[in-house]
Amino acid sequence: MKMKEPISSEQTHKVKLALIGVTCAGCVNTIQKALNTLPKTDSVDINFANRTALITTAQMTDYLIQTIQSVGYDAKEILDEDKAEKERVKSDSNEYRAKMIKSYIGLGVGIPLMVYGLLGGPMNVNTLNEQLIWLVVGLITFIILWKAGKHFFVGAAKAFVNRNANMDTLIALGTGTAWLYSMIVVLFPQYLPEGARHLYFEATAMIIGLINLGQALELKARGRTSQSIRRLLDLRVKTALVIRDGKELVLAVEEVVVGDKIRVRAGEKIPVDGIVLEGQSIIDESMLTGEPMPVKKEAGDTVSAGTINGQGSIVLEAKKVGSDTILAQIINMVSNAQNSKPPINRLADNVSAIFVPSVIILSILTALIWYNFGPQPSMVYMIVAATSVLIIACPCALGLATPISTMIGIGKAAEFGGLIRNGEALQKASELNVIVLDKTGTITQGKPLVTNYNSFSDRKDGLNLIELLEKGSNHPLAMALIHYANEHKDATALVEGDISGFESITGMGVKATYGQDRLLLGNQKLMHEHNIDLEVSEVMADQWEQQANTVTYFAINDSLMALFGISDPIRDDAKEAIARFHQQGLRVVMLTGDNQNTAKAIALEANVDEFYAELMPADKLDWIKKIQQQGKVVGMVGDGINDAPALAQSDVGFAIGSGTDVAIESADITLMRGSLHGVSDIIAISSATMKNIKQNLFGAFVYNSLGIPIAAGLLFPLTGWLLSPIVAGVAMSLSSITVVTNANRLRFFTPKSNNK
C-alpha cells in the first residue's frame, strides 16, 4: 500500500496499539522491524502474549498504523485501558468460539478418515471407483481448508506479498502441500508409481482441526494472564455522590472535577484522590499498597481512588481526578511494564527473526534428501517428512515464552504493592546479591521524636527561634524539632520579625540570620565548619548517640545554645525483613548521613552486614559505585527523593514509601507500602518469574531442537519410524499450551512472608 508522508511532532510521546492479525513471533519481529526504522522513534515494545505495542515516538499515531498495515497487519490505538480490556475479552471470546467451530469442522472429517485408515481401509487410488470416492473426499477437504483454514492461507499470502514469512506460512505450506499432492494422486494416478499413490486428506483435515483447537486452548489460557490488570481496572468507580449547591447528585466519575465535595458511605469505594473534610472511618488500602491492615482516616488525611471505605461515612474534597489519580497511574505503569521485555528475551527475538525462513529451507532440504536417498516410494516419504517439519516448527512457544511470564510476574508484583517499571528491572531484581538500605524512613520508622534536650544558655527564645527557623521544612528531623519546640517553648519569649539569609546546607543542617544574630542548626560538621566550641556537650552527645539518638546542635553567633537528642526507632518488622534478605543470599549494607555512633547502634539492632555513616548524597553514590566495581549487582532502597543519585546509580532502585505519599516515577521499582518486606517480596517474585521464563525458553528451544530433526526423519534409520504430520500438529499445539500453562503457575506464587 502507498503510505503518506510521515508527520511528526517535536516531542516524543507514548502510543499504545492493539495489534490485529498477529499470529506468531515472526509477525512480532516483522512489525518491530518496520516501526524501528521510523525516524524519531525511541523504542518499540511488542507483547505477543496480549498482541499490543507500546511505542515511544514523535510520529503521529495514524502514520504508525499505516506502517503496520504496510507490512500486512493492522492496529488500532488504545486510548482507554478499561474499554480496551473489555473489547479484548469480547474479541478473545468470539475468536475462541470461532476457532472451536473450525476445530470441530476439521476434526469432524479428519477423525473418521484417520480411523478408517487405522482400521485397514486403503488410503490410496488404484481403481476408478476409488478415484471418484476420493475426489469427493478431496473436495470436502478443500471446503474444510476454505472454511476452517482460510485465515492461515490469507495470512500466508499477506506475508508473501510483503516479503515476510510467519506461522501461517508454515501451516499453509504444510496443509496445502499435503492436499495438493493428494489431489494429484486422485486426478492423475496413472502418472505415479503404485507405491506413491498414498493420500493425505486425513492429515490435512486433522492438522487444520488440531491447530485451531490448540490456538483456542492457548487463547483461553492466555486470557487468565491479564487478571492482574483486570483486577486493577475493576477498582475504578463508575459513579460518585457529589455535593453541589447543597444537593447530593449521583454523577459519572468522569464528571467529577477538582474541588468537588464527595460523600462516600460505608462500604463504598472511593472514586477519586482527595482529602477528608468531614467524618472519620477505617479505609482498606490493601488493593493499592498490599498492606493488609486498614488505616484510620479523619479530617485532613488523604484518601485514594479504588480504596474501600469501612464503617463510617466521610465527605472528601477531590484533589486528583481521572488519569491523575494514583490508581490511574498504577494501571498505566503496570500496563506499560507488561509490554516490556527483559534482556533474557533477546536470544528468543534473534532466533524468531530468522526462524520461519530457516524452517522452510530445512523443509526443502528434508524433501530433497528423502527424494534422492530415501526408500521407495520416495515421494511418499518426502511429503510426510517435509510436511511434518513445516507443521511441528511453529515458533509460537518461543514467542510466548517470555512475554506471558513477564505479564503475570509484573501483575503479581502489583498485587503485593510493588510497581516494576519494565522487564529489565524485573530481571535485574532477580540477580541482586547486595541490597543497600538508607537508614531514615527505610530501616527506621521515619517519624523521629525529640527524646533528649539540654540548654546551655539563659536565653528563653531558643525554642521559639528553632520553630521559626524550621517552619516550612518537611524533613523528618525538622518536623520533630518543630513539634518539640511548639510544645515546650516559652510563651513569654516573643520572637518578632522573620529570619533572613536562610540557607540549607546538604548533609549538615541550616543557617540563617535573625536580626543581628547568626543561627546555626545541624550536626557536628556544621558546628566545626563555623568554629563552634562543642567541648561542653561532648560527654552528653556521646551518651545520646550510644543510645541510637541523632544529635542536633543549635548555636547562636559563636556559642552553643542547645543540644537535642532525636530518636527514630527501627521499624517493627525491619529486623525480620533483613533476615529474609539474608535467606535470599543478599549482603545487606546500610548507608546514612547520621553520625557513626547512632548508625552503629541502629546497624547492630537491625543486624545489617555493613554500615557507613556521616555520608553526603554524593558519598552514597560513590559507595554504590565501589560495590559495583567488586562485580556485585546492587539494589538500593531509599525514599526516591533524597537518595536520587544513589537510586539512579544502582542496578535496581527501590523507592520505598507509605501508601499514596510515594513518588511513583522515582525508581526502577516503587513500593506502595513502607515495609522492607515489600522489597523482599518483589525480589522473590522477580526470581520466580525469571525461573519461569527460563523454563519456558528451555522448553521451547528443546522442543524445536528435538522436534524438527525427529520430524525430518532422524530416527528413521534406527527405528524405521517417521513422524506423522498429524502427530506434528498435535505436538505443535501442545508446545504453546504447555508454555502458557507453565507461565500461569506464577499466578499462584506467594512470597514466603505472606505464606503464614
Side-chain angles (χ1 to χ4, degrees), residues 566-582:
I566 303 175
S567 175
D568 185 11
I570 72 168
R571 293 178 181 273
D572 295 336
D573 59 358
K575 192 171 182 179
E576 183 184 347
I578 289 170
R580 281 187 70 199
F581 289 143
H582 288 142

Side-chain angles (χ1 to χ4, degrees), residues 64-78:
L64 297 175
I65 293 174
Q66 288 176 32
T67 302
I68 293 170
Q69 289 171 340
S70 72
V71 292
Y73 303 94
D74 203 355
K76 61 180 179 179
E77 187 175 9
I78 296 174

Side-chain angles (χ1 to χ4, degrees), residues 5 21-22 90 108 116 152 180 270 316 385 389 405 454 467 538 547 595 609 615 624 655 720 752:
E5 288 298 315
V22 172
K90 184 178 179 181
Y116 171 76
F152 297 128
L180 188 60
I270 294 171
L316 59 93
V389 168
S405 297
N454 193 74
E467 185 180 24
E538 285 178 354
Q547 297 166 2
N595 64 78
D609 299 309
L615 302 178
I624 297 287
K752 286 183 180 179

